Amino acid sequence: MTLFAALDYLSGKVFAHTAPRHRHQEEWLAFLRKIDQEIAPGFELHLVCDNYATHKHAKVPAWLKRH
């Protein structure tokens, strides 16, 4: 089981997503899409990711560049 979590420290809101696996295709990109849908347009978002292969897959930077 994998827990993806993000914190809006100004409001205290936690964005969380659980998944049975930790892959870029469905789990990590799904979490990024969830955050993208829930934050206000124009909100400046900073992501801190480790060097885990899921976070570096070519589809992830491409998605981030589009958003």
Side-chain angles (χ1 to χ4, degrees):
M1 181 62 70
T2 296
L3 169 66
F4 298 97
L7 171 66
D8 176 350
Y9 70 92
L10 294 176
S11 70
K13 182 173 182 176
V14 175
F15 301 91
H17 176 74
T18 58
R21 298 175 72 181
H22 189 134
R23 299 172 298 168
H24 78 276
Q25 303 101 316
E26 298 165 20
E27 295 85 9
W28 179 236
L29 287 171
F31 179 61
L32 294 177
R33 287 184 201 107
K34 179 179 181 175
I35 292 172
D36 188 47
Q37 291 173 356
E38 293 191 27
I39 63 171
F43 184 82
E44 188 172 327
L45 179 66
H46 297 262
L47 294 174
V48 178
C49 303
D50 60 15
N51 286 327
Y52 193 61
T54 300
H55 304 154
K56 298 189 305 181
H57 189 279
K59 289 184 179 182
V60 174
W63 188 90
L64 291 170
K65 188 174 183 176
R66 290 191 311 271
H67 293 85

